[in-house]
Amino acid sequence: NAGVTQTPKFQVLKTGQSMTLQCAQDMNHEYMSWYRQDPGMGLRLIHYSVGAGITDQGEVPNGYNVSRSTTEDFPLRLLSAAPSQTSVYFCASSSGTQNYNSPLHFGNGTRLTVT
Amino acid sequence: GNSVTQMEGPVTLSEEAFLTINCTYTATGYPSLFWYVQYPGEGLQLLLKATKADDKGSNKGFEATYRKETTSFHLEKGSVQVSDSAVYFCALSRVGNEKLTFGTGTRLTIIP
């Protein structure tokens, strides 16, 4: 019963460094997405994917890249970290296809600090 | 565009008190409405949902009714427990459950 697994749980970066936040799900979900959670702003959608090989931008995509080479994995890349990217990042998945009976399943989050 | 407004927190209640967390939305057409809950150190979990006007979602003693006339989806529980302490998010979606628009969250603390 792994569900959605995110790694690492915590990360500290210096400005300009790059890193990849990992996300994997074992539920054979087609839809996967990345959100960032900031105080007073709720969760905002960064990027999403409706299936392997297909990605699209969400509300706040700048500074982030994604790819979806397999159904299971949806990594989020920061190419040059900035202090404004300090946040808690959540990966979520669902069976999608506008299925109203399929809720989003969230990972436990990655807390990223950029100094 | 779509937006969700929920009451500012934090909210602190005594055990067995009645809970209301207000949520109103702005959206074109007929969105689906959700309440998600986030317990400390965890990701969000779906608490309840409603997909059309006058629907009532319910789970774990919580309820919310989709009110199109007032564009609201207020969360209620008749008798809260310490274990209900968490952050609650109201959200809407125009396309299935995938692209959600979240409110800012309301932190609820229940004291014994």
Side-chain angles (χ1 to χ4, degrees):
Chain A
N1 275 2
V4 179
T5 302
Q6 290 184 236
T7 56
K9 291 186 178 180
F10 301 94
Q11 183 70 50
V12 178
L13 292 178
K14 295 187 186 305
T15 298
Q17 286 185 317
S18 63
M19 79 159 294
T20 299
L21 280 63
Q22 301 292 343
C23 175
Q25 53 88 11
D26 61 358
M27 298 171 282
N28 202 31
H29 283 168
E30 291 295 323
Y31 180 83
M32 296 186 74
S33 55
W34 278 101
Y35 286 86
R36 59 178 289 174
Q37 183 182 24
D38 301 293
M41 303 191 74
L43 280 78
R44 292 179 293 168
L45 182 64
I46 304 172
H47 284 285
Y48 66 98
S49 168
V50 298
I54 305 169
T55 63
D56 207 346
Q57 296 181 348
E59 181 185 355
V60 287
N62 292 341
Y64 308 95
N65 283 347
V66 292
S67 60
R68 185 90 181 273
S69 56
T70 67
T71 298
E72 294 77 22
D73 300 300
F74 190 45
L76 179 71
R77 297 184 185 84
L78 284 71
L79 297 180
S80 179
S84 60
Q85 294 179 304
T86 293
S87 187
V88 180
Y89 291 85
F90 288 99
C91 180
S93 73
S94 78
S95 63
T97 61
Q98 302 188 33
N99 182 348
Y100 287 95
N101 290 319
S102 172
L104 279 179
H105 295 257
F106 282 82
N108 285 349
T110 295
R111 183 175 295 276
L112 174 67
T113 302
V114 183
T115 61
Chain B
N2 300 333
S3 67
V4 175
T5 302
Q6 57 182 111
M7 65 187 291
E8 297 270 341
V11 174
T12 302
L13 295 173
S14 297
E15 204 165 22
E16 300 183 2
F18 184 87
L19 168 71
T20 300
I21 300 178
N22 290 338
C23 172
T24 57
Y25 68 89
T26 301
T28 55
Y30 303 94
S32 294
L33 301 174
F34 307 85
W35 278 100
Y36 277 79
V37 59
Q38 183 180 28
Y39 298 104
E42 298 182 8
L44 281 72
Q45 305 171 25
L46 178 66
L47 180 60
L48 53 84
K49 68 178 184 199
T51 58
K52 61 182 187 296
D54 299 326
D55 265 2
K56 177 184 283 188
S58 61
N59 186 26
K60 299 182 180 181
F62 290 89
E63 293 183 340
T65 301
Y66 189 141
R67 301 286 188 201
K68 191 173 190 306
E69 63 276 14
T70 55
T71 62
S72 65
F73 193 54
H74 305 320
L75 183 68
E76 296 181 336
K77 186 174 184 181
S79 176
V80 293
Q81 305 301 313
V82 172
S83 58
D84 294 327
S85 298
V87 181
Y88 292 81
F89 292 90
C90 186
L92 69 80
S93 173
R94 286 297 316 281
V95 181
N97 293 327
E98 295 95 32
K99 293 178 67 176
L100 290 178
T101 298
F102 285 90
T104 55
T106 301
R107 181 175 298 278
L108 173 67
T109 301
I110 308 301
I111 53 178

